[in-house]
Amino acid sequence: MKKLSFILLTGLAMSLFSCDNHDDVEEIKPEEQVVLNNDIETVITTEEASESVMELADYEVDLFSFMESEYTEPTTSTKQGSYNYYGNFAREWQRYKGEKMPEISIEFAEDGRFPLTITIEYDSIELYNNDKIIDGVIKIIMTAAPWTSGAVREITMDLVIDSVEISGTKRIEFTGERGVTKKWEITSDITFTYPDGTELSRVAERTREWIAGLDTKWDLTDDKIQITGKVTCVDTEQNEYTKQIDEENPLIRIGTCRLIVQGTVIYSQNGVEFAKFDYGDGECDNVATYTYTTPEGEEVTETVEIGKHKRNKMKGDNLKIIRLKMLKGAGKYLIALHPIFIQNHYFYLNQSSSLDTRRI
């Protein structure tokens, strides 16, 4: 598979004439370019795998939040008995395999119903349709009923979904109009940790609108959710970038599919687009494509399997010239090292091999 080598801003300035000081070396100004420490496939597959497990967790939050009217007694009430009363409601959705359901705990405020606290505990719960397994805890604090204007859900997640750890917080505010629109403004700060040690931190601002299926509470087959917004990501190798959903082709989730089935997202850094990811036209499959332009100007489209995390870490001896550029002045050249070793530094080397580092 073709890989895109990125132009790096960090580098070595090598003098072509004898020089024992740096008085004639001009500081290299950062340019509006993309600086990534891995190839595009690595960056995109890690982010899209995180997006996939996040959608699973979000769906769990919505299902148990929208059951709010069914929570007639706190789980500490003797009326509920000792068995998993509310968790067994989930059997109606046919979302979980086997006899074991998530354990649901409900706690009301001391002087009224709200804030209402929902705690969902998963003990190796397997999902239908995708064989994904969920462990851990989701805690939801609701300030009001789901369709109340301004109602807020404060969510804490400490989960493992198919060996991917999810830890962080999310705030969801209902901004729709009861009986007319179902829309939420969402902010989140979530970290994903993969079995190989890779971490991806995502800070998101999104709008989700449930555009079909809310009238049939127990039927998932007609559910459809539209998603717009952006995510800012930083991963283990300090790749920092933004993922913006195309407003003309927003993301679409449906109740019978664990994956996003439609929509386009644009990957960029410093305002410069470096890839476009296309989820397809609505079919429930795990195949998507991404498109990028090579340094030679060739547009390349690759096919990927959604949810597959891939990491191609550079080796310590992977020193290579990525770009050779004549600098202004007396014969100086800029060459580049992989920035995992020289992040955020300029290196100046003269004929006597003395090394000077200057922080950007």
Side-chain angles (χ1 to χ4, degrees):
M1 179 178 291
K2 297 181 180 179
K3 303 287 188 285
L4 179 61
S5 295
F6 286 90
I7 299 173
L8 307 178
L9 301 180
T10 52
L12 296 171
M14 185 175 294
S15 175
L16 299 182
F17 59 95
S18 179
C19 177
D20 292 327
N21 59 58
H22 307 295
D23 293 340
D24 59 346
V25 177
E26 293 187 7
E27 183 176 331
I28 308 166
K29 301 297 184 182
E31 302 173 20
E32 288 189 354
Q33 298 180 27
V34 174
V35 184
L36 295 175
N37 302 335
N38 289 95
D39 56 53
I40 282 186
E41 182 185 22
T42 297
V43 170
I44 286 181
T45 55
T46 300
E47 162 54 24
E48 294 306 326
S50 303
E51 184 79 64
S52 178
V53 295
M54 190 73 256
E55 286 299 317
L56 283 176
D58 285 344
Y59 207 88
E60 295 293 306
V61 169
D62 285 345
L63 285 177
F64 288 102
S65 298
F66 298 148
M67 255 182 67
E68 178 268 333
S69 62
E70 306 293 333
Y71 303 137
T72 57
E73 297 285 344
T75 46
T76 54
S77 170
T78 56
K79 294 180 180 180
Q80 298 302 329
S82 59
Y83 68 102
N84 186 22
Y85 181 78
Y86 294 124
N88 282 299
F89 277 26
R91 296 184 192 280
E92 299 290 337
W93 300 326
Q94 297 184 353
R95 180 166 174 78
Y96 309 105
K97 287 186 177 180
E99 292 298 314
K100 189 165 55 176
M101 296 291 114
E103 291 277 345
I104 310 301
S105 299
I106 302 298
E107 182 180 349
F108 296 155
E110 292 183 1
D111 55 354
R113 184 171 180 80
F114 296 100
L116 171 68
T117 301
I118 307 168
T119 304
I120 314 162
E121 297 183 63
Y122 302 85
D123 181 12
S124 298
I125 303 295
E126 188 174 0
L127 300 178
Y128 269 118
N129 301 324
N130 56 45
D131 299 322
K132 296 291 185 182
I133 295 176
I134 306 180
D135 281 283
V137 178
I138 298 174
K139 185 176 181 179
I140 308 166
I141 300 177
M142 303 178 66
T143 63
W147 317 123
T148 304
S149 179
V152 172
R153 287 178 283 166
E154 297 282 356
I155 299 141
T156 303
M157 295 184 180
D158 187 9
L159 295 172
V160 178
I161 300 180
D162 267 13
S163 300
V164 180
E165 297 179 21
I166 306 172
S167 178
T169 59
K170 178 169 288 196
R171 183 184 188 275
I172 304 175
E173 180 177 354
F174 181 66
T175 57
E177 184 179 351
R178 189 181 185 97
V180 180
T181 59
K182 300 177 176 70
K183 183 182 291 187
W184 299 265
E185 299 299 327
I186 305 168
T187 57
S188 63
D189 188 347
I190 307 287
T191 297
F192 300 81
T193 304
Y194 287 82
D196 64 1
T198 298
E199 287 191 358
L200 179 68
S201 296
R202 302 169 87 242
V203 177
E205 297 177 4
R206 286 188 164 178
T207 299
R208 294 174 76 97
E209 185 172 5
W210 205 307
I211 57 178
L214 260 290
D215 296 331
T216 53
K217 182 166 56 175
W218 304 110
D219 183 6
L220 306 182
T221 62
D222 60 352
D223 290 355
K224 182 178 286 189
I225 300 170
Q226 176 179 285
I227 309 164
T228 57
K230 68 177 182 179
V231 181
T232 300
C233 305
V234 181
D235 66 19
T236 301
E237 280 84 43
Q238 297 304 303
N239 297 304
E240 184 171 354
Y241 53 90
T242 298
K243 188 174 82 168
Q244 178 77 48
I245 300 171
D246 187 345
E247 292 185 0
E248 295 183 0
N249 189 22
L251 304 186
I252 298 295
R253 277 292 315 269
I254 57 177
T256 56
C257 187
R258 68 181 174 89
L259 302 168
I260 294 170
V261 298
Q262 184 177 328
T264 304
V265 295
I266 299 167
Y267 284 80
S268 66
Q269 187 183 78
N270 300 322
V272 180
E273 178 182 329
F274 64 85
K276 186 173 290 186
F277 194 91
D278 188 348
Y279 284 94
D281 57 4
E283 184 178 353
C284 183
D285 58 33
N286 64 345
V287 178
T289 60
Y290 67 94
T291 303
Y292 63 91
T293 302
T294 68
E296 294 75 30
E298 178 186 2
E299 187 174 275
V300 177
T301 298
E302 305 281 7
T303 301
V304 295
E305 184 177 344
I306 299 174
K308 288 287 186 179
H309 160 67
K310 182 176 182 179
R311 211 75 195 156
N312 294 326
K313 295 185 178 180
M314 299 296 184
K315 303 299 183 182
D317 59 354
N318 190 11
L319 168 62
K320 57 183 178 181
I321 297 177
I322 298 180
R323 181 185 179 191
L324 187 63
K325 174 184 177 182
M326 179 70 77
L327 298 179
K328 182 180 179 181
K332 305 173 189 67
Y333 287 85
L334 169 68
I335 65 176
L337 281 169
H338 196 279
I340 196 169
F341 309 112
I342 57 172
Q343 289 177 12
N344 302 324
H345 284 79
Y346 291 129
F347 287 75
Y348 297 94
L349 187 66
N350 61 24
Q351 283 187 342
S352 65
S353 297
S354 62
L355 185 64
D356 177 35
T357 65
R358 304 180 189 180
R359 189 78 177 173
I360 295 177

